[in-house]
Amino acid sequence: MTTITTDMTTTGTATGTALGAAHPRTPAPPEQPAPGIPAPASGRVSVAVYAEDLILRTGVVQQLRRRPEIELIPDEEADRAQVSLVVVDVVNEPAVQLLHRLQRNTATRTGLVVGYFEAGALQTLIEYGVAAVLRRGEADQDRLVHLVTAVAKGEGVLPGDLLGKLIDHVSSLHRSVLDPRGLSLSTLTTREAEMIRLVSEGYGTAEIAQKTSYSERTVKNVLHEVATRLNLRNRAHAVGYAMRHGLI
């Protein structure tokens, strides 16, 4: 089984136990940032790189080290990184175990650079909180930096074909699991959204009960539950919240 190790060295060549001690090298001088790249205005993005072999690790580290907006974090401080960048050939069992471990660190967000992406791996990435995916064949310096900075900002990055698969997956989930139970992917159930929509149209409790075929008591309980769960002050506040978030 392949063991995934990390490398976040910030000088010269990659070092440490992952390289072994059989053939020591003379460290190369630190590389300078690429010419013409302005210094970041709002601080550097701290990155911990996790890769399954030396070649993968060295390639990504060398690309990121050239950019002044990136701070590569050493092994022993990896948990403080803003972004964990996982570089693998395929999403196999060792990669899944690593993603699961990284998910437990709520202070960092995870991006993935992968050589071959199987369709079934999309569900795994969703489950383990991977925020961005980049195919290794497209992972030049600019795309790597774009992925890392987007993840640090809380954004997601997916290749177009994977985005389409994600949309299909969510639609399938909605049809097969949520709709039969009267649920939705929003913070409101179908019943809650319908009642708040009727409130927004000016209907009172008795009228809502008549239109939805529920008792007035049920209508009051449903609206009270929504207000309590979402910390809303009253029905007008609930309507405003639902409209702002596109729930009705």
Side-chain angles (χ1 to χ4, degrees):
M1 182 178 292
T2 305
T3 300
I4 297 179
T5 57
T6 65
D7 179 87
M8 283 66 64
T9 54
T10 55
T11 60
T13 58
T15 59
T17 56
L19 289 176
H23 302 287
R25 309 181 190 179
T26 302
E31 297 184 22
Q32 299 300 314
I37 300 174
S42 58
R44 306 167 77 193
V45 177
S46 56
V47 182
V49 177
Y50 298 78
E52 58 185 4
D53 64 42
L54 176 61
I55 295 175
L56 293 177
R57 180 171 57 248
T58 301
V60 171
V61 167
Q62 294 289 356
Q63 295 274 42
L64 293 178
R65 182 181 293 135
R66 297 170 182 266
R67 302 294 288 259
E69 60 263 63
I70 304 299
E71 176 193 4
L72 291 168
I73 303 299
D75 275 1
E76 62 274 12
E77 300 178 21
D79 286 346
R80 75 173 177 85
Q82 293 171 268
V83 177
S84 296
L85 187 61
V86 177
V87 188
V88 294
D89 279 323
V90 66
V91 182
N92 53 17
E93 185 59 29
V96 170
Q97 292 176 0
L98 173 61
L99 293 175
H100 181 57
R101 178 169 67 83
L102 294 174
Q103 187 184 35
R104 294 197 293 264
N105 181 4
T106 57
T108 186
R109 303 184 80 241
T110 301
L112 177 73
V113 178
V114 62
Y116 172 71
F117 191 89
E118 297 176 333
L122 186 59
Q123 178 67 36
T124 299
L125 302 188
I126 295 171
E127 290 178 0
Y128 292 109
V130 174
V133 178
L134 179 64
R135 287 193 171 88
R136 214 171 63 229
E138 302 172 351
D140 59 22
Q141 184 181 115
D142 288 337
R143 287 191 176 96
L144 282 170
V145 172
H146 172 70
L147 180 143
V148 166
T149 53
V151 170
K153 294 175 184 176
E155 300 172 357
V157 178
L158 281 178
D161 62 311
L162 293 187
L163 181 58
K165 290 177 183 178
L166 177 60
I167 292 172
D168 289 343
H169 177 78
V170 172
S171 297
S172 175
L173 175 66
H174 207 293
R175 290 191 304 269
S176 62
V177 178
L178 300 181
D179 283 347
R181 294 167 173 79
L183 302 174
S184 73
L185 290 174
S186 72
T187 53
L188 300 178
T189 66
T190 303
R191 181 173 69 170
E192 290 169 345
E194 174 64 10
M195 290 186 182
I196 291 179
R197 183 184 65 79
L198 291 171
V199 170
S200 73
E201 294 175 359
Y203 293 104
T205 301
E207 293 170 306
I208 295 173
Q210 183 179 13
K211 286 181 174 295
T212 59
S213 299
Y214 290 106
S215 68
E216 292 185 35
R217 181 181 181 86
T218 297
V219 171
K220 290 178 181 178
N221 287 342
V222 168
L223 295 176
H224 180 267
E225 163 62 24
V226 171
T228 301
R229 188 173 73 244
L230 301 179
N231 295 317
L232 305 173
R233 295 185 297 277
N234 48 44
R235 292 188 181 189
H237 192 191
V239 169
Y241 175 92
M243 293 182 70
R244 284 195 304 274
H245 290 82
L247 304 179
I248 60 173

